[in-house]
């Protein structure tokens, strides 16, 4: 794909890290709003209202009838428990800044995977000390050394330079490096008691906020798959991988200035995720 293509990505194989979509033109340079979006957005709004009305009418007409005749239709739908929040209290212990001590349950595995996705997608992964601390906290003890070696090969000075960072992965003076992963949802695809495979649907931010940045902060959507093992009283990662999407249709939001983005990163903290 050529540099001028609409979707250009910087990919980091085997790292599980966010892929970056570079906008054209640069929003920090005052990108114009895309024309003719008002009508399409209005159409989406109208369709949304119609869908909500249909849903409301169906709900009102349902009454107290049992599932009866709908059994076949509803059987293809996910159970409410598979998508709703459990209400379980988040863990209250941490290794450094990373939550730990998750329950030995499927929900505990999902909470662990969500929090580990946040750690693996953080700016700390770009420095050697920060990266090693994260891997020691989230990987199985037997897999720490091999993971450190693999990530060291991926997070090179060349990668840092391509993102506008110093060789050691830190941001140049006057700039704020943004790398955040926000889990949207989780699901267990396989569970055998002491192992669990969990998919985490995420939205990510990556870029360098600053007035003259050539790598502005952009958003991406991806799904991380983690195979976890119950080790020494907690869930730890055996392997993990990443694929693109599912991604929603982009909206008409105005791109924030470099100052606004830097301020937001400094002022808004992260969360401890629980299923």
């Amino acid at each position: 794909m050529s540099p001028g293509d609409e979707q250009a990505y910087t990919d980091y194989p085997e790292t599980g890290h966010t892929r970056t979509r570079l906008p054209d033109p640069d929003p920090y340079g005052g990108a114009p709003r895309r024309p003719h979006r008002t009508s399409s957005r209005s159409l989406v709004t109208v369709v949304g209202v119609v869908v909500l009305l249909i849903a409301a009418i169906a709900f009102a007409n349902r009454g107290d009838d049992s599932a009866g005749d709908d059994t076949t239709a509803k059987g293809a739908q996910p159970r409410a428990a598979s998508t709703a929040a459990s209400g379980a209290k988040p863990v209250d212990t941490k290794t450094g800044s990373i939550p730990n001590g998750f329950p030995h349950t499927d929900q505990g595995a999902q909470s662990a995977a969500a929090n580990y996705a946040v750690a693996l997608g953080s700016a700390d992964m770009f420095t050697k000390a920060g990266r090693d601390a994260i891997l020691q906290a989230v990987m199985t003890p037997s897999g720490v050394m091999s993971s450190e070696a693999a990530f060291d090969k991926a997070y090179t000075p060349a990668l840092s330079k391509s993102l506008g960072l110093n060789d050691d992965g830190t941001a140049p003076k006057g700039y704020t490096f943004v790398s955040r992963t926000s889990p949207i949802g989780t699901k267990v695809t396989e569970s055998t008691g002491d192992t669990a495979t969990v998919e985490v649907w995420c939205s990510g931010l990556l870029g360098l906020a600053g007035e003259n940045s050539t790598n502005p902060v952009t958003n991406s959507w991806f799904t991380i798959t983690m195979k976890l093992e119950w080790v020494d009283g907690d869930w730890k990662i055996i392997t993990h991988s990443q694929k693109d999407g599912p991604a929603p249709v982009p909206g008409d939001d105005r791109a924030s200035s470099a100052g606004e983005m830097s301020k937001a990163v400094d002022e808004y903290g992260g969360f401890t995720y629980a299923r």
Side-chain angles (χ1 to χ4, degrees):
M1 184 176 290
S2 66
D5 287 341
E6 181 180 350
Q7 290 195 8
Y9 290 89
T10 301
D11 195 4
Y12 315 131
E14 307 303 326
T15 66
H17 200 79
T18 305
R19 300 179 72 187
T20 307
R21 183 182 186 279
L22 302 179
D24 185 18
D26 183 346
Y28 295 150
R33 294 172 66 85
R34 288 170 292 178
H36 307 304
R37 289 286 292 176
T38 303
S39 59
S40 62
R41 189 168 186 175
S42 298
L43 177 60
V44 171
T45 301
V46 171
V47 172
V49 171
V50 172
V51 171
L52 289 174
L53 286 173
I54 293 173
I57 293 170
F59 182 81
N61 291 335
R62 186 181 62 178
D64 294 327
D65 294 339
S66 61
D69 297 334
D70 303 290
T71 304
T72 302
K74 289 186 177 180
Q77 301 298 319
R79 294 176 295 107
S82 69
T83 55
S86 69
K89 182 180 179 180
V91 295
D92 54 10
T93 55
K94 292 184 177 183
T95 299
S97 62
I98 304 172
N100 64 6
F102 298 97
H104 190 192
T105 61
D106 281 357
Q107 288 187 5
Q110 291 179 73
S111 294
N115 284 282
Y116 295 165
V118 173
L120 291 170
S122 69
D124 288 339
M125 285 293 291
F126 286 81
T127 66
K128 173 63 176 174
R131 184 165 61 249
D132 287 351
I134 290 171
L135 296 177
Q136 289 166 16
V138 306
M139 305 299 297
T140 58
S142 61
V144 170
M145 290 187 64
S146 59
S147 295
E148 288 179 350
F151 275 91
D152 286 347
K153 289 181 179 179
Y155 286 81
T156 61
L159 173 61
S160 295
K161 184 177 180 180
S162 70
L163 293 171
L165 302 174
N166 298 320
D167 286 351
D168 63 357
T170 59
K173 185 177 180 180
Y175 291 86
T176 300
F177 180 51
V178 182
S179 182
R180 286 197 180 187
T181 292
S182 299
I184 305 300
T186 61
K187 71 174 180 179
V188 174
T189 58
E190 185 177 354
S191 179
T192 60
D194 283 345
T195 62
T197 301
V198 182
E199 293 185 0
V200 188
W201 180 31
C202 304
S203 175
L205 299 175
L206 184 68
L208 194 65
E211 291 299 330
N212 297 313
S213 173
T214 58
N215 295 282
V217 180
T218 57
N219 173 248
S220 61
W221 293 83
F222 49 95
T223 299
I224 299 175
T225 300
M226 297 185 190
K227 185 172 183 180
L228 304 174
E229 182 179 15
W230 184 256
V231 181
D232 297 332
D234 207 355
W235 291 106
K236 300 295 180 183
I237 301 172
I238 303 173
T239 61
H240 75 287
S241 59
Q242 179 180 310
K243 63 181 181 181
D244 292 338
V249 176
D252 267 343
D253 300 316
R254 176 187 65 84
S256 297
S257 67
E260 290 173 324
M261 186 62 65
S262 297
K263 188 172 184 287
V265 172
D266 291 339
E267 293 182 350
Y268 293 96
F271 299 97
T272 296
Y273 290 83
R275 178 67 174 86

